[in-house]
Amino acid sequence: MQRAQVVKLDRGYPLVRCEDGRLVRCEHATALVKGEKVRAVIGDFVEVNAPEGHDKGIIESICPRERAFVRKDPTERAVPQVLAANFDRVILAQPLAEVNLRRLERELVLAYETGAAVTVVLTKADLAESEEQVEQVADRVRALAGPDVRTLVVSDGNAESVEAVRALMAPGTTTVLVGKSGVGKSSLVNMLVGEEVQETGTVREGDGKGRHTTVSREMVAIPGGGYVVDMPGVRGLGLWDADAGIGAAFADIEQAAQQCRFRDCKHENEPGCAVRAAVESGEIAPERFASYQALKQETATLRDRREEARRMRGEKASDKKRGGQGGRPGRGKRRR
């Protein structure tokens, strides 16, 4: 039995790197997947057994994860899906000329929830109409992401912009690259490595769009740096236990809420609502507040569904809540 790390996941079996540097294709032990159907994800540290006469290694156990990128499984009603584990930074990639701010808000919440460092990278800046557009979009994204998140702009052929991203990937670290299909993640990885290690789709003239080509998750070594995981285009970004991530992504709204007259203020029609006052004064953008409310409602609805599922299975409600979740204070109680 030896310790190894999952370095590639595709439609077949996990590929792990053992402590002695060997790469071994593995399958999961029956006991591991039979009950809770637990499977290793990219970045997981695992205990591997290589029985004599067996053509593959066997993953006997998965070590506790330092952190994980988790979303609600898009195929299930209320089940979490872990996409990656044991990383140090999350880079959210968006094409500069077609930034989707609503999706970026959701990406920021999920990234914050991991506890890793978060960076936004605006790709394909060379396709922008003008330098003015580049600056305007970058400013909007920086305003959304907040002062704690660095926003970088990358242009094809601009070595300095690529080097700024590479500098984030220090030796011994792992970065997860998240974004929809066609945002330029594979191209960015190729620029970081300095050679074509990831296949990219043909880009159409006129709109700069290409087809999605990455179908596996793989840890790619950056020369002189750490590893980057180019995640296949993630479409659905359902939140899972994301209260802490929402609080971090919308820190300005959470801070304003501390000044509300009532501790359980829903920021609707309650008297003395500091959040509503901030929205009306222009301190908080109405669109940003609407997104905050929608995401909070989504997590509350999912939490109710999970509790209902537990009751249907005859289980007791979990007392352990992440992100400070717990019983809501009684309505009408004033802050002291």
Side-chain angles (χ1 to χ4, degrees):
M1 190 85 68
Q2 60 180 307
R3 182 180 169 93
Q5 185 176 29
V6 178
V7 296
K8 185 173 183 179
L9 278 180
D10 48 31
R11 295 189 178 94
Y13 299 92
L15 183 69
V16 306
R17 180 186 293 111
C18 300
E19 291 182 328
D20 59 8
R22 289 187 302 121
L23 294 175
V24 180
R25 187 68 67 175
C26 294
E27 60 185 3
H28 290 85
T30 302
L32 187 64
V33 300
K34 186 176 181 180
E36 298 181 0
K37 297 183 179 180
V38 177
R39 285 177 171 78
V41 301
I42 190 75
D44 264 331
F45 288 99
V46 296
E47 294 291 336
V48 175
N49 186 21
E52 187 175 350
H54 203 280
D55 62 347
K56 293 184 181 65
I58 299 177
I59 296 176
E60 299 288 354
S61 64
I62 301 171
C63 301
R65 291 161 177 158
E66 180 180 346
R67 60 174 53 94
F69 192 98
V70 185
R71 68 170 176 177
K72 176 182 173 293
D73 192 326
T75 64
E76 300 287 347
R77 183 167 179 258
V79 177
Q81 181 185 43
V82 180
L83 300 182
N86 303 318
F87 46 86
D88 304 279
R89 181 180 299 275
V90 177
I91 287 182
L92 307 174
Q94 289 249 0
L96 186 138
E98 297 179 334
V99 169
N100 185 329
L101 294 179
R102 300 290 79 80
R103 178 183 170 90
L104 180 57
E105 287 175 341
R106 188 173 291 269
E107 290 174 338
L108 284 166
V109 169
L110 290 173
Y112 269 122
E113 191 69 27
T114 69
V118 182
T119 305
V120 176
V121 172
L122 301 177
T123 62
K124 303 183 179 181
D126 47 294
L127 299 180
E129 296 177 356
S130 64
E131 282 297 324
E132 183 180 3
Q133 182 189 23
V134 172
E135 291 300 324
Q136 289 177 347
V137 173
D139 287 344
R140 287 203 302 271
V141 170
R142 290 187 179 103
L144 171 64
D148 296 330
V149 175
R150 189 177 179 188
T151 299
L152 300 176
V153 177
V154 173
S155 298
D156 188 13
N158 186 327
E160 185 177 349
S161 68
V162 176
E163 186 57 38
V165 178
R166 186 185 290 113
L168 300 173
M169 304 176 182
T173 67
T174 300
T175 297
V176 173
L177 187 56
V178 178
K180 281 187 68 175
S181 301
V183 303
K185 300 190 307 298
S186 295
S187 296
L188 177 58
V189 171
N190 289 337
M191 287 188 283
L192 291 168
V193 175
E195 59 180 289
E196 298 291 319
V197 295
Q198 296 284 75
E199 182 183 357
T200 57
T202 302
V203 177
R204 296 196 300 262
E205 293 184 6
D207 60 8
K209 294 182 179 180
R211 59 186 178 85
H212 174 55
T213 53
T214 304
V215 295
S216 65
R217 298 184 177 101
E218 179 177 6
M219 292 178 64
V220 178
I222 303 299
Y227 291 92
V228 61
V229 178
D230 179 7
M231 302 282 284
V234 179
R235 293 183 181 179
L237 288 173
L239 304 185
W240 181 265
D241 263 353
D243 287 87
I246 293 173
F250 294 89
D252 54 340
I253 297 178
E254 296 271 302
Q255 184 175 5
Q258 295 297 315
Q259 306 303 318
C260 290
R261 182 181 302 177
F262 301 110
R263 287 183 295 179
D264 60 346
C265 184
K266 297 183 181 299
H267 319 307
E268 294 174 351
N269 299 311
E270 298 88 343
C273 176
V275 174
R276 278 290 180 185
V279 173
E280 292 171 2
S281 69
E283 184 179 347
I284 295 175
E287 298 83 4
R288 180 170 171 78
F289 175 61
S291 294
Y292 171 82
Q293 290 285 71
L295 294 173
K296 292 287 285 186
Q297 182 58 51
E298 180 180 332
T299 58
T301 300
L302 179 60
R303 193 180 307 122
D304 292 342
R305 288 178 178 175
R306 293 206 307 272
E307 293 303 326
E308 177 63 25
R310 290 191 185 101
R311 287 194 291 271
M312 294 291 288
R313 295 193 299 266
E315 300 175 4
K316 292 183 178 180
S318 174
D319 292 326
K320 295 182 179 180
K321 302 287 185 178
R322 294 176 54 195
Q325 298 172 19
R328 294 185 177 181
R331 186 160 183 78
K333 294 183 180 179
R334 292 175 179 268
R335 292 185 179 276
R336 293 186 178 180

Short mmCIF file of all heavy atoms in Angstrom, two decimals, residues 78-113:
data_model
loop_
_atom_site.label_atom_id
_atom_site.label_comp_id
_atom_site.label_asym_id
_atom_site.label_seq_id
_atom_site.Cartn_x
_atom_site.Cartn_y
_atom_site.Cartn_z
N ALA A 78 -30.75 16.80 -4.74
CA ALA A 78 -30.04 17.48 -3.67
C ALA A 78 -28.82 16.67 -3.25
O ALA A 78 -28.75 16.15 -2.14
CB ALA A 78 -30.97 17.72 -2.48
N VAL A 79 -27.87 16.55 -4.16
CA VAL A 79 -26.66 15.78 -3.91
C VAL A 79 -25.45 16.61 -4.31
O VAL A 79 -25.44 17.21 -5.38
CB VAL A 79 -26.67 14.45 -4.71
CG1 VAL A 79 -25.38 13.68 -4.50
CG2 VAL A 79 -27.87 13.60 -4.32
N PRO A 80 -24.41 16.67 -3.46
CA PRO A 80 -23.22 17.44 -3.82
C PRO A 80 -22.34 16.69 -4.81
O PRO A 80 -22.30 15.45 -4.82
CB PRO A 80 -22.50 17.61 -2.47
CG PRO A 80 -22.89 16.39 -1.70
CD PRO A 80 -24.30 16.08 -2.11
N GLN A 81 -21.62 17.41 -5.64
CA GLN A 81 -20.66 16.81 -6.57
C GLN A 81 -19.33 17.54 -6.41
O GLN A 81 -19.25 18.75 -6.58
CB GLN A 81 -21.14 16.95 -8.02
CG GLN A 81 -20.18 16.32 -9.03
CD GLN A 81 -20.61 16.57 -10.46
OE1 GLN A 81 -21.02 17.66 -10.81
NE2 GLN A 81 -20.53 15.54 -11.29
N VAL A 82 -18.30 16.78 -6.06
CA VAL A 82 -16.96 17.33 -5.91
C VAL A 82 -16.26 17.27 -7.25
O VAL A 82 -16.17 16.21 -7.87
CB VAL A 82 -16.15 16.56 -4.85
CG1 VAL A 82 -14.76 17.15 -4.69
CG2 VAL A 82 -16.88 16.56 -3.51
N LEU A 83 -15.73 18.41 -7.71
CA LEU A 83 -15.08 18.47 -9.02
C LEU A 83 -13.55 18.41 -8.92
O LEU A 83 -12.89 17.95 -9.85
CB LEU A 83 -15.48 19.76 -9.75
CG LEU A 83 -16.98 19.94 -10.03
CD1 LEU A 83 -17.22 21.23 -10.80
CD2 LEU A 83 -17.54 18.75 -10.79
N ALA A 84 -12.99 18.89 -7.82
CA ALA A 84 -11.53 18.89 -7.65
C ALA A 84 -11.22 19.02 -6.16
O ALA A 84 -12.04 19.49 -5.38
CB ALA A 84 -10.89 20.03 -8.43
N ALA A 85 -10.01 18.59 -5.78
CA ALA A 85 -9.64 18.63 -4.36
C ALA A 85 -8.17 19.03 -4.20
O ALA A 85 -7.37 18.90 -5.12
CB ALA A 85 -9.88 17.26 -3.71
N ASN A 86 -7.87 19.53 -3.01
CA ASN A 86 -6.48 19.80 -2.59
C ASN A 86 -5.74 20.76 -3.53
O ASN A 86 -4.67 20.45 -4.05
CB ASN A 86 -5.71 18.49 -2.44
CG ASN A 86 -6.38 17.53 -1.47
OD1 ASN A 86 -6.85 17.95 -0.42
ND2 ASN A 86 -6.45 16.27 -1.83
N PHE A 87 -6.32 21.93 -3.73
CA PHE A 87 -5.70 22.95 -4.57
C PHE A 87 -5.48 24.20 -3.73
O PHE A 87 -5.97 24.32 -2.60
CB PHE A 87 -6.60 23.26 -5.78
CG PHE A 87 -8.04 23.44 -5.41
CD1 PHE A 87 -8.53 24.68 -5.00
CD2 PHE A 87 -8.92 22.37 -5.43
CE1 PHE A 87 -9.85 24.85 -4.65
CE2 PHE A 87 -10.25 22.53 -5.07
CZ PHE A 87 -10.72 23.77 -4.68
N ASP A 88 -4.72 25.14 -4.28
CA ASP A 88 -4.37 26.36 -3.54
C ASP A 88 -5.05 27.60 -4.09
O ASP A 88 -5.20 28.59 -3.37
CB ASP A 88 -2.85 26.56 -3.59
CG ASP A 88 -2.10 25.35 -3.07
OD1 ASP A 88 -1.98 25.22 -1.85
OD2 ASP A 88 -1.64 24.53 -3.90
N ARG A 89 -5.43 27.56 -5.36
CA ARG A 89 -6.02 28.75 -5.99
C ARG A 89 -7.07 28.33 -7.00
O ARG A 89 -6.96 27.27 -7.64
CB ARG A 89 -4.93 29.58 -6.69
CG ARG A 89 -5.43 30.86 -7.37
CD ARG A 89 -4.29 31.62 -8.04
NE ARG A 89 -3.30 32.04 -7.07
CZ ARG A 89 -3.37 33.15 -6.35
NH1 ARG A 89 -4.40 33.96 -6.49
NH2 ARG A 89 -2.41 33.45 -5.50
N VAL A 90 -8.09 29.17 -7.14
CA VAL A 90 -9.09 28.99 -8.19
C VAL A 90 -9.00 30.19 -9.12
O VAL A 90 -9.08 31.34 -8.68
CB VAL A 90 -10.52 28.89 -7.62
CG1 VAL A 90 -11.54 28.78 -8.76
CG2 VAL A 90 -10.65 27.70 -6.68
N ILE A 91 -8.82 29.93 -10.41
CA ILE A 91 -8.85 30.99 -11.42
C ILE A 91 -10.15 30.87 -12.19
O ILE A 91 -10.47 29.81 -12.73
CB ILE A 91 -7.65 30.90 -12.38
CG1 ILE A 91 -6.36 31.34 -11.67
CG2 ILE A 91 -7.88 31.75 -13.62
CD1 ILE A 91 -5.14 31.33 -12.56
N LEU A 92 -10.92 31.95 -12.22
CA LEU A 92 -12.17 32.00 -12.95
C LEU A 92 -11.91 32.69 -14.28
O LEU A 92 -11.53 33.86 -14.31
CB LEU A 92 -13.22 32.76 -12.15
CG LEU A 92 -13.44 32.25 -10.71
CD1 LEU A 92 -14.40 33.17 -9.96
CD2 LEU A 92 -13.94 30.82 -10.72
N ALA A 93 -12.09 31.95 -15.37
CA ALA A 93 -11.80 32.49 -16.70
C ALA A 93 -13.08 32.92 -17.39
O ALA A 93 -14.06 32.16 -17.45
CB ALA A 93 -11.07 31.44 -17.54
N GLN A 94 -13.06 34.13 -17.93
CA GLN A 94 -14.19 34.66 -18.70
C GLN A 94 -13.62 35.41 -19.90
O GLN A 94 -12.63 36.13 -19.79
CB GLN A 94 -15.01 35.63 -17.84
CG GLN A 94 -15.81 34.99 -16.73
CD GLN A 94 -17.32 35.06 -17.00
OE1 GLN A 94 -17.77 35.59 -18.01
NE2 GLN A 94 -18.09 34.49 -16.09
N PRO A 95 -14.25 35.27 -21.08
CA PRO A 95 -13.79 36.01 -22.25
C PRO A 95 -14.14 37.48 -22.11
O PRO A 95 -15.29 37.83 -21.85
CB PRO A 95 -14.55 35.36 -23.41
CG PRO A 95 -15.80 34.83 -22.78
CD PRO A 95 -15.41 34.41 -21.39
N LEU A 96 -13.15 38.34 -22.26
CA LEU A 96 -13.36 39.77 -21.99
C LEU A 96 -14.50 40.36 -22.81
O LEU A 96 -15.31 41.15 -22.29
CB LEU A 96 -12.07 40.54 -22.24
CG LEU A 96 -12.12 42.02 -21.87
CD1 LEU A 96 -10.84 42.46 -21.18
CD2 LEU A 96 -12.38 42.89 -23.09
N ALA A 97 -14.58 40.01 -24.07
CA ALA A 97 -15.59 40.62 -24.94
C ALA A 97 -17.00 40.10 -24.67
O ALA A 97 -17.98 40.67 -25.15
CB ALA A 97 -15.23 40.38 -26.41
N GLU A 98 -17.10 39.01 -23.89
CA GLU A 98 -18.42 38.42 -23.64
C GLU A 98 -18.56 38.01 -22.17
O GLU A 98 -19.02 36.92 -21.86
CB GLU A 98 -18.66 37.20 -24.54
CG GLU A 98 -18.69 37.52 -26.02
CD GLU A 98 -18.91 36.28 -26.86
OE1 GLU A 98 -18.55 35.18 -26.40
OE2 GLU A 98 -19.45 36.41 -27.97
N VAL A 99 -18.17 38.87 -21.28
CA VAL A 99 -18.25 38.56 -19.86
C VAL A 99 -19.71 38.40 -19.43
O VAL A 99 -20.55 39.23 -19.75
CB VAL A 99 -17.57 39.67 -19.02
CG1 VAL A 99 -17.90 39.49 -17.54
CG2 VAL A 99 -16.08 39.64 -19.21
N ASN A 100 -19.96 37.31 -18.71
CA ASN A 100 -21.29 37.07 -18.14
C ASN A 100 -21.21 37.36 -16.64
O ASN A 100 -20.74 36.53 -15.86
CB ASN A 100 -21.70 35.61 -18.39
CG ASN A 100 -23.10 35.31 -17.93
OD1 ASN A 100 -23.61 35.91 -16.97
ND2 ASN A 100 -23.76 34.37 -18.60
N LEU A 101 -21.63 38.55 -16.24
CA LEU A 101 -21.48 38.97 -14.85
C LEU A 101 -22.32 38.12 -13.90
O LEU A 101 -21.91 37.86 -12.76
CB LEU A 101 -21.86 40.44 -14.70
CG LEU A 101 -20.93 41.43 -15.42
CD1 LEU A 101 -21.43 42.85 -15.21
CD2 LEU A 101 -19.49 41.30 -14.94
N ARG A 102 -23.50 37.68 -14.34
CA ARG A 102 -24.33 36.85 -13.46
C ARG A 102 -23.66 35.51 -13.20
O ARG A 102 -23.67 35.01 -12.08
CB ARG A 102 -25.71 36.64 -14.10
CG ARG A 102 -26.50 37.89 -14.36
CD ARG A 102 -26.99 38.56 -13.07
NE ARG A 102 -25.97 39.33 -12.41
CZ ARG A 102 -25.60 40.57 -12.76
NH1 ARG A 102 -26.18 41.15 -13.80
NH2 ARG A 102 -24.69 41.23 -12.10
N ARG A 103 -23.08 34.92 -14.22
CA ARG A 103 -22.37 33.66 -14.02
C ARG A 103 -21.13 33.89 -13.16
O ARG A 103 -20.79 33.07 -12.30
CB ARG A 103 -21.97 33.05 -15.36
CG ARG A 103 -21.17 31.75 -15.19
CD ARG A 103 -20.71 31.17 -16.51
NE ARG A 103 -19.77 30.08 -16.28
CZ ARG A 103 -20.12 28.80 -16.13
NH1 ARG A 103 -21.38 28.45 -16.16
NH2 ARG A 103 -19.20 27.87 -15.91
N LEU A 104 -20.44 35.00 -13.39
CA LEU A 104 -19.24 35.29 -12.62
C LEU A 104 -19.56 35.41 -11.13
O LEU A 104 -18.79 34.95 -10.28
CB LEU A 104 -18.59 36.58 -13.12
CG LEU A 104 -17.30 37.01 -12.40
CD1 LEU A 104 -16.25 35.91 -12.45
CD2 LEU A 104 -16.76 38.30 -13.01
N GLU A 105 -20.69 36.03 -10.80
CA GLU A 105 -21.10 36.10 -9.40
C GLU A 105 -21.20 34.71 -8.79
O GLU A 105 -20.73 34.45 -7.67
CB GLU A 105 -22.45 36.81 -9.28
CG GLU A 105 -22.38 38.31 -9.51
CD GLU A 105 -23.76 38.94 -9.51
OE1 GLU A 105 -24.75 38.20 -9.69
OE2 GLU A 105 -23.83 40.16 -9.34
N ARG A 106 -21.82 33.80 -9.52
CA ARG A 106 -21.99 32.42 -9.04
C ARG A 106 -20.64 31.72 -8.93
O ARG A 106 -20.38 30.98 -7.97
CB ARG A 106 -22.93 31.68 -10.00
CG ARG A 106 -23.36 30.30 -9.54
CD ARG A 106 -24.41 29.76 -10.51
NE ARG A 106 -25.65 30.50 -10.38
CZ ARG A 106 -26.64 30.16 -9.55
NH1 ARG A 106 -26.52 29.10 -8.80
NH2 ARG A 106 -27.72 30.88 -9.50
N GLU A 107 -19.77 31.93 -9.92
CA GLU A 107 -18.43 31.34 -9.87
C GLU A 107 -17.65 31.85 -8.66
O GLU A 107 -16.94 31.09 -7.99
CB GLU A 107 -17.67 31.66 -11.16
CG GLU A 107 -18.21 30.94 -12.38
CD GLU A 107 -17.52 31.39 -13.66
OE1 GLU A 107 -16.94 32.49 -13.69
OE2 GLU A 107 -17.55 30.63 -14.66
N LEU A 108 -17.78 33.14 -8.37
CA LEU A 108 -17.09 33.72 -7.23
C LEU A 108 -17.57 33.10 -5.93
O LEU A 108 -16.77 32.80 -5.03
CB LEU A 108 -17.30 35.23 -7.19
CG LEU A 108 -16.49 36.04 -8.21
CD1 LEU A 108 -17.04 37.46 -8.32
CD2 LEU A 108 -15.01 36.08 -7.82
N VAL A 109 -18.87 32.88 -5.81
CA VAL A 109 -19.41 32.26 -4.60
C VAL A 109 -18.82 30.86 -4.40
O VAL A 109 -18.35 30.51 -3.31
CB VAL A 109 -20.95 32.20 -4.66
CG1 VAL A 109 -21.50 31.31 -3.54
CG2 VAL A 109 -21.55 33.58 -4.56
N LEU A 110 -18.85 30.04 -5.45
CA LEU A 110 -18.32 28.68 -5.35
C LEU A 110 -16.83 28.69 -5.07
O LEU A 110 -16.32 27.85 -4.31
CB LEU A 110 -18.62 27.91 -6.64
CG LEU A 110 -20.09 27.56 -6.89
CD1 LEU A 110 -20.26 26.96 -8.27
CD2 LEU A 110 -20.59 26.59 -5.83
N ALA A 111 -16.10 29.62 -5.69
CA ALA A 111 -14.65 29.69 -5.46
C ALA A 111 -14.34 30.12 -4.04
O ALA A 111 -13.47 29.55 -3.37
CB ALA A 111 -14.02 30.65 -6.46
N TYR A 112 -15.04 31.13 -3.55
CA TYR A 112 -14.85 31.60 -2.17
C TYR A 112 -15.14 30.48 -1.18
O TYR A 112 -14.49 30.35 -0.14
CB TYR A 112 -15.78 32.78 -1.88
CG TYR A 112 -15.18 34.13 -2.16
CD1 TYR A 112 -15.79 35.01 -3.06
CD2 TYR A 112 -14.04 34.57 -1.50
CE1 TYR A 112 -15.27 36.27 -3.30
CE2 TYR A 112 -13.52 35.83 -1.74
CZ TYR A 112 -14.13 36.67 -2.63
OH TYR A 112 -13.61 37.91 -2.87
N GLU A 113 -16.15 29.67 -1.50
CA GLU A 113 -16.56 28.61 -0.59
C GLU A 113 -15.45 27.59 -0.35
O GLU A 113 -15.41 26.94 0.70
CB GLU A 113 -17.81 27.90 -1.16
CG GLU A 113 -18.50 26.95 -0.20
CD GLU A 113 -19.17 27.68 0.95
OE1 GLU A 113 -19.56 28.85 0.79
OE2 GLU A 113 -19.31 27.07 2.02
#
